[in-house]
Amino acid sequence: MGVLAGIADLLDYLFSGTSGALLILSGIISFIVLAIVLNVLRQILLKNPNEPPLVFHWVPFIGSTISYGIDPYKFFFSCREKYGDVFTFILLGKKTTVCLGTKGNEFILNGKLKDVNAEEIYTPLTTPVFGKGVVYDCPNAKLMEQKKFVKYGLTAEALRSYVPLIVAEVTNFLENNPAFRGSKGTFNVPAVMAEITIYTASRSLQGKEVRDKFDSSFAELYHDLDMGFSPINFMLPWAPLPHNKRRDFAQQKMAQTYTEIIKARRDTGGERTSEDMIWNLMGCVYKDGTPVPDIEVAHMMIALLMAGQHSSSSTSAWIMLRLAQRPDILEELYEEQKSVLGEDLPPLTNDGLQRLTLNSQVVRETLRMHAPIHSMMRKVKSPMPVQGTPYTVPTSHVLLSAPGVTSMSPEHFPNPADWEPHRWDAAAMAKIEEEDEKIDYGYGLVSKGASSPYLPFGAGRHRCIGEQFAYLQLGVITATMVRKLKLSMPSQNTKIVGTDYSSLFSRPLNPAIVCFEKRIEKL
């Protein structure tokens, strides 16, 4: 009680003979000091041996939010050294239990539906952006059906048809964008790749009508809707903030645009003319016999556009930055195309893309080092004992998996901080992606995958269904850029930019400038 008595004496001294305003200020300061003292004492004196160790923090509610938010991986590795693979930290007042390593990924990402829940974590953020009735704004069984519709729409025939469309979009951009008018120059990688990925995805996966609208009003609506992923919306998605008002307006307008496209297609007889996802979803029916409503098709298309764009935009930007840092790899990629496809570099096809081994390894290595999502969270629904430890995670906690930690750990990848696509040459490394055990969560057999140290697209029932398309899109963009450009870092500066962790998705800090020189095409 000596500490509390001392605080009381201090308050008595501060309050004597002071003005009202100073009294209030002193009271606030005293309250904060008292809260910090009590918070520290509680951590020291009231440890629960049956729960994971709590990361020490001074300020209640804030906890470790700031250090986690600035650099999640630095925070994870630092805590791992002090507390091991399982620990809890305070994230905006919420006890968040982190389970690292392949066992931690398995524990969380392949957790049973009765034990863990993703919907409660993400629906406040995603539903205002995607729309109602889809993804996290519906029962899990319905979500699994929706994932099945999308997965079965990504047929081999559809993927083959996307390759020339993506090539054409990249080529058109490099020929007509003002940044590439000269034979050489510089460009801002994050901005350029964000444009290229949205154009390629909209033309292939979304359909010609959607792509045409990105030359006009759709791009602005997309930007306003994208602001709905601001971190503050994890807590205040309903707040009448300016960016939320623009988000809600953009969501309604984009949904209206999609429904108008669907109606126009139905009015013309509904005859399928391309392999885009809108045609696929228009013909889908739920297990109970209910056709997917047009508004849900619209909302699923928005979800595909928003979720896929962030990961592809970030990863393609990192690929270009890494190639500018390693022009030797870029030239290897160019020579690989000439060796495998022919000296005259014929038009790229899906079959040809699959034969470009180093090209795919560049994509894979970039995803290993720069996972688009650094944290995957689940709400604990029933007490969960952590195997091999004395800990049980209670229902008051949120679980957090960080697959990027395993992909940056030396026990799985020697010299993990080095970007080296040739590490995937070895047959042993190729096996990292293989997982024999398959499971059907309701959208077809998929690899459980959580025991692998390489999980850029997650694992379990919420594994990304756009994985195949993402690999295809990134592979085609990379191969086309390599055909057209030589890249280098400006002024012999080989240091790459850092990572921006300020939103749900990790991405390169903006701006990130590199130099380009157009290749001379043989006539």
Side-chain angles (χ1 to χ4, degrees):
M1 296 299 291
V3 174
L4 297 179
I7 293 174
D9 291 341
L10 177 62
L11 294 177
D12 183 61
Y13 170 75
L14 290 173
F15 289 174
S16 58
T18 56
S19 66
L22 189 57
L23 263 175
I24 293 173
L25 179 61
S26 299
I28 293 173
I29 293 173
S30 301
F31 175 79
I32 293 173
V33 171
L34 179 61
I36 290 174
V37 170
L38 292 175
N39 180 56
V40 171
L41 290 175
R42 184 166 59 248
Q43 292 177 74
I44 295 173
L45 302 176
L46 300 178
K47 293 181 179 179
N48 186 342
N50 296 318
E51 293 184 7
L54 182 65
V55 176
F56 180 81
H57 58 282
W58 291 97
V59 183
F61 186 80
I62 298 297
S64 304
T65 302
I66 295 175
S67 53
Y68 164 74
I70 292 173
D71 191 333
Y73 289 118
K74 182 179 180 181
F75 174 75
F76 292 146
F77 279 107
S78 174
C79 291
R80 191 185 205 183
E81 289 183 10
K82 296 177 184 177
Y83 307 103
D85 281 343
V86 183
F87 55 87
T88 297
F89 74 100
I90 303 299
L91 177 60
L92 294 177
K94 197 71 179 176
K95 285 189 174 181
T96 304
T97 296
V98 181
C99 299
L100 300 176
T102 55
K103 291 182 179 179
N105 295 335
E106 174 75 29
F107 177 67
I108 296 174
L109 300 181
N110 274 332
K112 295 180 180 178
L113 198 57
K114 68 178 182 63
D115 295 327
V116 294
N117 178 282
E119 287 81 351
E120 291 184 34
I121 298 293
Y122 292 113
T123 192
L125 188 73
T126 60
T127 299
V129 175
F130 300 158
K132 291 186 174 297
V134 302
V135 192
Y136 295 120
D137 189 57
C138 61
N140 189 264
K142 183 177 179 180
L143 170 58
M144 294 302 107
E145 285 197 74
Q146 292 173 353
K147 293 183 73 169
K148 180 178 69 175
F149 297 153
V150 173
K151 180 184 175 184
Y152 287 1
L154 293 172
T155 62
E157 184 180 354
L159 293 172
R160 277 195 298 272
S161 73
Y162 294 160
V163 173
L165 300 177
I166 295 172
V167 170
E169 286 292 340
V170 178
T171 302
N172 180 65
F173 185 92
L174 295 179
E175 290 176 352
N176 296 290
N177 189 271
F180 297 94
R181 278 181 181 162
S183 61
K184 60 175 62 177
T186 62
F187 68 96
N188 182 17
V189 175
V192 164
M193 299 317 296
E195 282 196 70
I196 286 178
T197 51
I198 199 71
Y199 293 152
T200 55
S202 60
R203 179 61 187 93
S204 55
L205 194 62
Q206 297 274 323
K208 186 177 185 300
E209 302 101 318
V210 178
R211 169 63 185 96
D212 290 343
K213 292 181 182 298
F214 266 103
D215 288 331
S216 53
S217 59
F218 226 51
E220 186 176 343
L221 291 174
Y222 170 83
H223 176 267
D224 290 342
L225 195 56
D226 188 42
M227 293 304 294
F229 285 128
S230 299
I232 192 174
N233 281 0
F234 262 119
M235 296 188 64
L236 303 172
W238 44 264
L241 301 172
H243 76 270
N244 281 346
K245 291 180 180 179
R246 291 194 296 271
R247 172 203 66 191
D248 295 341
F249 175 78
Q251 202 284 328
Q252 292 172 8
K253 290 295 291 183
M254 287 184 76
Q256 180 184 343
T257 300
Y258 277 111
T259 54
E260 288 173 355
I261 291 172
I262 295 166
K263 183 177 185 303
R265 289 187 176 188
R266 294 196 192 281
D267 288 347
T268 57
E271 185 176 346
R272 189 170 185 146
T273 58
S274 66
E275 293 293 334
D276 63 61
M277 191 57 66
I278 295 179
W279 278 117
N280 172 62
L281 294 177
M282 283 171 59
C284 289
V285 178
Y286 288 114
K287 287 180 179 178
D288 64 2
T290 305
V292 178
D294 288 354
I295 190 63
E296 289 188 7
V297 173
H299 291 168
M300 277 190 269
M301 293 306 299
I302 294 174
L304 283 172
L305 179 69
M306 302 302 295
Q309 167 62 11
H310 283 93
S311 56
S312 293
S313 171
S314 169
T315 304
S316 63
W318 283 120
I319 289 172
M320 295 305 122
L321 289 168
R322 290 294 181 179
L323 290 177
Q325 189 185 40
R326 290 285 305 274
D328 59 315
I329 296 292
L330 187 146
E331 290 309 307
E332 271 195 75
L333 289 172
Y334 187 64
E335 292 301 322
E336 178 185 55
Q337 289 199 45
K338 291 200 296 182
S339 172
V340 173
L341 305 179
E343 282 287 334
D344 58 340
L345 292 177
L348 190 64
T349 64
N350 187 48
D351 292 339
L353 181 69
Q354 304 310 315
R355 293 160 55 202
L356 298 177
T357 304
L358 183 59
N359 197 81
S360 66
Q361 291 177 189
V362 163
V363 173
R364 197 179 304 154
E365 176 69 352
T366 305
L367 284 167
R368 180 191 70 81
M369 287 194 68
H370 303 288
I373 300 179
H374 56 75
S375 302
M376 300 178 185
M377 300 183 187
R378 303 287 186 266
K379 178 71 177 71
V380 181
K381 302 300 292 181
S382 60
M384 297 182 66
V386 183
Q387 189 175 10
T389 76
Y391 310 135
T392 296
V393 184
T395 55
S396 57
H397 287 211
V398 168
L399 284 170
L400 187 154
S401 171
V405 170
T406 54
S407 66
M408 288 296 289
S409 297
E411 60 263 35
H412 301 296
F413 297 91
N415 303 312
D418 295 341
W419 185 79
E420 183 46 72
H422 284 294
R423 77 168 68 244
W424 297 89
D425 290 346
M429 296 304 292
K431 289 181 180 178
I432 284 176
E433 285 193 295
E434 296 177 4
E435 178 66 43
D436 292 331
E437 189 175 0
K438 303 285 184 180
I439 189 169
D440 187 351
Y441 292 104
Y443 58 95
L445 284 174
V446 293
S447 167
K448 288 185 71 174
S451 60
S452 168
Y454 174 76
L455 298 174
F457 294 97
R461 67 178 58 249
H462 292 290
R463 183 171 182 150
C464 177
I465 47 169
E467 183 175 348
Q468 274 187 301
F469 175 76
Y471 275 122
L472 179 98
Q473 181 190 26
L474 292 168
V476 175
I477 289 174
T478 300
T480 307
M481 295 287 281
V482 165
R483 284 190 179 197
K484 302 294 184 182
L485 304 175
K486 296 179 181 180
L487 303 175
S488 61
M489 301 296 284
S491 305
Q492 304 302 313
N493 176 20
T494 59
K495 187 176 181 181
I496 206 164
V497 297
T499 304
D500 179 0
Y501 294 111
S502 62
S503 75
L504 182 66
F505 301 91
S506 307
R507 55 196 174 193
L509 286 168
N510 193 4
I513 308 298
V514 302
C515 303
F516 75 87
E517 179 181 349
K518 290 183 178 178
R519 296 187 189 274
I520 300 175
E521 296 186 16
K522 296 179 180 179
L523 298 178

